[in-house]
């Protein structure tokens, strides 16, 4: 199937063509006609599936085709609201709006925390059609009466599962309550957990379901390896791997902000150009690090799960899990950063004795055992003492018989305790 068969107008097809895409991805094939037809949508899709174009393109078409009653709209008030979990994702989604909307008269802006509010107020006052926002800052604008949500025709919740993980459910509900009842709702989520089902049930009307990314899709296409090593030797092993394998453009995952900073410093000191990105970094520092990484000026980008979410880099050759995530599904998100679109990708996890439980959880989720090896000179000691895994404090209690998705950090809650005793995350 070609993009030209989806019923999109020439101006949009031209912008898509300029990106070099002629074949729609599976989610685009299913989502675009549904959204054009005005249906609500429940899509299970991860980053990397082309989901952003899957909702952006039909929204741009609806906004510019007279499919909605323009006369009834409140002057200058936004017509589309896209809620996302992170600033990075907000920037990337809005970038897509600009890219695909290059030849249609649609305006957009981002609204997220961590940067000055005044430029956002100015942009909203000038009037935009599409607002891409993180929930907290959007509510700041609501409170200050600097955004008018009474003309929203289409609501998109992007990476809804992650927004729930980050504790945004109340904010989301408050925002939804401010929107006109009559509207189209599109919900995108990497997983279809009970929480997401509940959210969908209260939000969507007769939705079309699209499920293109079973949770372990990436897990099947990426070459994954486990290197067993003692925790104390992980940093030296990682340096050794950089030195001996000629790695470039490696995304390295750490569990904590503190760990990410320390590792980036160590790599940098040893001559491997590296930077860390996480929630404590300023927006400018994050944007700079990401740009340097994309441009090849940085060899390694050391990230926490939340900060890495939504990073859009095509065909990343390597992902390294310096530490395994607490939540098995985060592993699938992490390795989904590599091996995209048929490219070769490699995901290497450095696993120490006390992470074996996490590894078991991951293997259970992806339904296969991962090959394990040791690197000469860094073999794990046979007598390594297991240490208790760090337990999240605060947040929801664990549901019986399962690990809580709530093990991810929650703004406003107590961060999980790192075993070094650091309060960083
Ligand atoms: P997303 O899942 O929206 O984060 O998109 C992942 C990547 O796929 C982005 O870099 C897009 O530019 C790219 N992409 C989107 N649609 C297509 C397509 N039809 N063919 C090839 N690449 C695409």
């Amino acid at each position: 199937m070609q993009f030209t068969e989806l019923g999109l107008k020439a101006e949009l097809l031209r912008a898509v063509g300029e990106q070099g895409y002629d074949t729609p991805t599976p989610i685009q094939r299913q989502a675009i006609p549904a959204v054009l037809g005005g249906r609500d949508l429940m899509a299970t899709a991860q980053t990397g599936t082309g989901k952003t174009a899957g909702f952006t393109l039909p929204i741009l078409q609806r906004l510019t085709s007279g499919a909605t009653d323009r006369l009834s709209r409140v002057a200058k008030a936004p017509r589309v609201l896209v809620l996302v979990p992170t600033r990075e994702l907000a920037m990337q989604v809005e970038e897509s709006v600009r890219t695909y909307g290059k030849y249609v008269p649609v305006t957009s802006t981002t609204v997220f925390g961590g940067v000055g509010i005044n430029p956002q107020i100015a942009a909203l006052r000038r009037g935009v059609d599409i607002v891409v926002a993180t929930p907290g800052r959007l509510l700041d604008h609501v409170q200050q009466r600097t955004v008018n949500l009474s003309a929203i025709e289409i609501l998109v919740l992007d990476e809804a599962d992650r927004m729930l993980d980050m504790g945004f459910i109340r904010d989301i509900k408050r925002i939804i309550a401010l929107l006109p009842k009559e509207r189209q709702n599109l919900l995108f989520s990497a997983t279809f957990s009970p929480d997401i089902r509940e959210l969908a049930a209260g939000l969507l009307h007769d939705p079309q379901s699209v499920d293109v990314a079973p949770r372990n899709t990436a897990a099947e296409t990426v070459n994954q390896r486990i290197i067993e090593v003692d925790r104390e030797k992980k940093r030296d092993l990682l340096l050794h791997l950089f030195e001996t394998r000629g790695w470039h453009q490696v995304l390295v995952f750490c569990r904590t902000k503190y760990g990410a900073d320390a590792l980036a410093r160590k790599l940098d000191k040893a001559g491997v150009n590296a930077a860390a990105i996480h929630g404590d970094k300023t927006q400018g520092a994050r944007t700079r690090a990401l740009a340097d990484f994309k441009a090849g000026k940085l060899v390694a980008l050391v990230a926490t799960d939340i900060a890495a979410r939504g990073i859009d880099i095509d065909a990343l050759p390597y992902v390294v899990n310096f530490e395994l995530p607490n939540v098995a599904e985060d592993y699938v998100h992490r390795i989904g950063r590599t091996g995209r679109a048929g490219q070769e990708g490699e995901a290497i996890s450095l696993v120490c004795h006390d992470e074996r439980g996490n590894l078991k959880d991951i293997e259970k989720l992806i339904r296969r055992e991962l090959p394990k090896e040791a690197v000469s000179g860094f073999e794990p000691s046979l007598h390594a003492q297991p240490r208790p895994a760090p337990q999240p404090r605060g947040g929801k209690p664990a549901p019986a018989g399962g690990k809580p998705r709530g093990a991810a950090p929650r703004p406003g809650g107590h961060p999980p305790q790192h075993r070094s005793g650091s309060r960083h995350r």
Side-chain angles (χ1 to χ4, degrees):
M1 186 194 235
Q2 301 288 299
F3 262 108
T4 45
E5 298 167 58
L6 285 171
L8 292 169
K9 54 164 68 176
E11 292 89 337
L12 297 172
L13 291 174
R14 184 173 165 201
V16 168
E18 283 180 7
Q19 294 303 302
Y21 311 149
D22 45 22
T23 321
T25 64
I27 189 149
Q28 291 163 357
R29 279 203 292 277
Q30 296 176 58
I32 291 173
V35 179
L36 285 178
R39 293 273 309 261
D40 276 9
L41 192 73
M42 166 71 230
T44 318
Q46 295 180 359
T47 300
T49 53
K51 67 182 166 69
T52 316
F55 64 79
T56 306
L57 286 166
I59 284 175
L60 288 167
Q61 174 131 335
R62 281 179 72 74
L63 287 182
T64 55
S65 66
T68 48
D69 182 9
R70 285 178 143 255
L71 292 177
S72 70
R73 78 179 267 233
V74 181
K76 290 188 176 179
R79 303 167 66 191
V80 177
L81 174 63
V82 184
L83 287 179
V84 297
T86 64
R87 328 166 204 197
E88 279 78 12
L89 192 61
M91 289 195 292
Q92 282 167 19
V93 168
E94 205 236 353
E95 182 69 39
S96 292
V97 170
R98 285 174 193 264
T99 302
Y100 301 124
K102 196 166 158 194
Y103 301 111
V104 290
V106 169
T107 53
S108 57
T109 195
T110 50
V111 159
F112 49 73
V115 294
I117 198 165
N118 289 334
Q120 296 175 358
I121 293 175
L124 291 167
R125 193 172 290 150
R126 277 195 299 275
V128 289
D129 299 302
I130 301 180
V131 173
V132 185
T134 53
R137 177 57 70 89
L138 184 68
L139 283 172
D140 292 344
H141 283 281
V142 167
Q143 207 156 21
Q144 298 191 27
R145 296 180 193 280
T146 47
V147 69
N148 176 357
L149 298 178
S150 70
I152 296 293
E153 297 161 26
I154 306 176
L155 169 70
V156 183
L157 299 185
D158 193 12
E159 302 201 351
D161 53 338
R162 184 57 50 147
M163 286 199 278
L164 297 192
D165 282 352
M166 291 170 73
F168 284 138
I169 185 66
R170 279 186 172 190
D171 289 353
I172 291 171
K173 287 190 171 159
R174 281 180 61 200
I175 291 164
I176 290 173
L178 298 167
L179 306 179
K181 297 273 167 295
E182 210 32 48
R183 57 168 202 272
Q184 188 177 8
N185 302 290
L186 317 177
L187 191 146
F188 289 80
S189 174
T191 59
F192 200 41
S193 64
D195 285 350
I196 289 292
R197 266 173 235 260
E198 195 190 315
L199 180 66
L203 178 72
L204 307 175
H205 304 285
D206 183 28
Q208 172 149 343
S209 293
V210 177
D211 186 353
V212 293
R215 295 205 289 220
N216 53 1
T217 304
E220 278 154 18
T221 54
V222 175
N223 176 11
Q224 304 163 71
R225 290 185 301 132
I226 303 295
I227 302 183
E228 293 181 311
V229 60
D230 289 340
R231 175 173 297 282
E232 301 70 38
K233 292 195 192 146
K234 278 191 179 187
R235 286 188 189 175
D236 289 330
L237 170 60
L238 186 62
L239 260 182
H240 173 80
L241 294 173
F242 270 106
E243 281 159 8
T244 54
R245 308 212 172 171
W247 279 353
H248 58 282
Q249 244 201 356
V250 185
L251 183 60
V252 182
F253 282 96
C254 284
R255 273 190 194 173
T256 66
K257 294 171 187 174
Y258 173 83
D261 273 335
L263 184 60
R265 267 199 309 271
K266 163 113 182 170
L267 290 173
D268 217 43
K269 230 177 175 175
V272 176
N273 281 347
I277 60 165
H278 53 63
D280 281 354
K281 295 270 176 188
T282 62
Q283 185 55 37
R286 290 208 230 181
T287 309
R288 212 162 37 244
L290 193 56
D292 285 351
F293 186 58
K294 282 188 181 182
K297 288 186 209 160
L298 288 176
V299 177
L301 190 65
V302 187
T304 55
D305 287 290
I306 295 289
R309 194 64 190 188
I311 289 183
D312 178 18
I313 303 166
D314 286 337
L316 203 55
Y318 312 99
V319 165
V320 170
N321 293 309
F322 185 75
E323 291 155 325
L324 288 181
N326 274 329
V327 180
E329 277 156 4
D330 282 341
Y331 173 84
V332 181
H333 287 306
R334 288 179 177 189
I335 69 166
R337 306 274 152 206
T338 178
R340 283 191 192 174
Q343 303 270 350
E344 290 263 306
E346 201 170 346
I348 294 163
S349 303
L350 310 188
V351 176
C352 64
H353 193 279
D354 44 317
E355 288 174 305
R356 290 201 182 151
N358 298 104
L359 181 57
K360 283 238 160 62
D361 288 346
I362 289 163
E363 291 180 328
K364 208 162 122 195
L365 177 71
I366 64 173
R367 294 195 206 100
R368 65 190 245 224
E369 204 173 314
L370 296 173
K372 296 166 190 74
E373 62 188 85
V375 172
S376 172
F378 298 90
E379 294 88 352
S381 58
L382 293 173
H383 305 293
Q385 287 300 308
R387 279 182 276 186
Q391 289 303 317
R393 299 187 309 172
K396 277 188 287 186
K403 228 176 187 182
R405 295 268 305 144
R410 290 164 183 282
H414 293 288
Q417 190 82 353
H418 183 52
R419 68 170 54 77
S420 71
S422 158
R423 288 187 295 105
H424 295 263
R425 164 99 194 175

